[in-house]
Amino acid sequence: MTNVSVGLAAAEGPVATLGDRSRVFRWASVTKPVTALACLVAAEEGAIDLDEPAGPPESTFRHLLAHASGLPLEGASPIARPGERRIYSDHGFDVLGGALAEHVRMEFGDYLREAVVRPLGLGARYEGRPGSGLHGSLDDLLAVARELLAPTVVSAETLVEATTVAFPGLVGVLPGFGRQVPNDWGLGFELRDGKAPHWTGSRNSDRTFGHFGRSGTFLWVDPEAEVALACLTDLEFGDWAAEAWPKLSDAVLAELGP
């Protein structure tokens, strides 16, 4: 049986939901924006500098967050120099989590809870990897969405930096949607910009940012529409998602009006 929970949020709170708001789902790579928030908190605290070395030679925290470190999807051997290509890397987030833990002198999961999970009042649990280890409910994901619409754990200026293109012009593959020229990312956030095809809708503004996961999950935030859409399922990502998610996004934005 497939379970689905979907919610629309504004900065003030949930606007509409469908499905069980308390059911716990695997977030998969939708974890990455939350891990990015933890890194941004650490940067504001002075525990890390986003431009200090982390990962392969010549790589920094910024490169790791932006999938520009040269590390492959899996594996510790770089396949490009930092800043040359956009290579989506789960292993890069493992390295990122380890580097953050070393600098803050705490286990990564403990710091994630102290920096983001508890301040946002999330019931989500972390187990596994920094890029995919969160499990939580729709209410949890909508709380993250509200944070990304009106930040509290980091400054608005820091969030703007994180959702602006890092290392502009890099070419790369957006998993499930093919080669993108350019394949723009922020710091832990995938940016819609003018990408086509894309998992958000044609009505989404170019400023839309977010992430989707292999477990059939996604979260996008559209600063121009001032809303965020979250979806949690236990149906693995596939062709169905590439077809359904843009239609859902367009239907929601059309209902909200021009």
Side-chain angles (χ1 to χ4, degrees):
M1 178 178 179
T2 300
N3 297 283
V4 182
S5 297
V6 183
L8 181 71
E12 299 78 19
V15 174
T17 63
L18 178 67
D20 187 344
R21 291 171 56 167
S22 62
R23 183 183 182 87
V24 173
F25 291 86
R26 181 170 66 94
W27 289 10
S29 286
V30 177
T31 300
K32 288 182 172 72
V34 186
T35 291
L37 279 175
C39 289
L40 298 176
V41 171
E44 288 197 341
E45 291 176 339
I48 66 171
D49 184 320
L50 294 177
D51 294 310
E52 69 180 300
E58 302 180 45
S59 173
T60 65
F61 280 96
R62 192 180 301 275
H63 285 101
L64 291 168
L65 282 163
H67 297 287
S69 70
L71 289 170
L73 176 65
E74 298 290 355
S77 299
I79 57 176
R81 290 184 59 187
E84 284 188 346
R85 290 167 54 195
R86 194 82 65 187
I87 305 168
Y88 185 81
S89 178
D90 283 332
H91 180 70
F93 265 70
D94 293 339
V95 174
L96 176 69
L100 179 63
E102 182 178 346
H103 280 71
V104 300
R105 299 181 182 180
M106 295 174 65
E107 293 291 329
F108 170 78
D110 293 338
Y111 188 76
L112 184 70
R113 281 187 288 271
E114 293 300 321
V116 182
V117 173
R118 287 180 181 169
L120 297 187
L122 308 185
R125 70 178 189 274
Y126 170 79
E127 54 186 41
R129 303 172 66 180
S132 58
L134 281 173
H135 299 69
S137 67
L138 179 63
D139 277 345
D140 291 328
L141 191 52
L142 291 176
V144 174
R146 294 195 301 274
E147 172 67 18
L148 297 175
L149 285 162
T152 59
V153 299
V154 297
S155 69
E157 293 78 10
T158 293
L159 184 60
V160 167
E161 178 184 358
T163 55
T164 300
V165 183
F167 310 105
L170 299 188
V171 175
V173 173
L174 179 61
F177 292 88
R179 189 172 184 264
Q180 304 280 346
V181 184
N183 186 14
D184 287 341
W185 284 73
L187 303 180
F189 300 94
E190 196 259 317
L191 309 181
R192 190 193 195 290
D193 285 354
K195 292 174 183 168
H198 198 254
W199 54 278
T200 64
S202 61
R203 288 178 174 266
N204 282 90
S205 76
D206 287 355
R207 294 177 59 203
T208 301
F209 62 89
H211 218 293
F212 70 87
R214 195 174 297 170
S215 57
T217 59
F218 75 75
L219 171 64
W220 60 247
V221 177
D222 191 331
E224 292 192 9
E226 298 182 329
V227 293
L229 186 64
C231 177
L232 292 170
T233 81
D234 46 23
L235 179 63
E236 292 286 305
F237 175 84
D239 291 342
W240 70 267
E243 179 180 354
W245 290 350
K247 291 180 180 178
L248 172 63
S249 300
D250 280 340
V252 167
L253 290 170
E255 185 69 21
L256 294 175

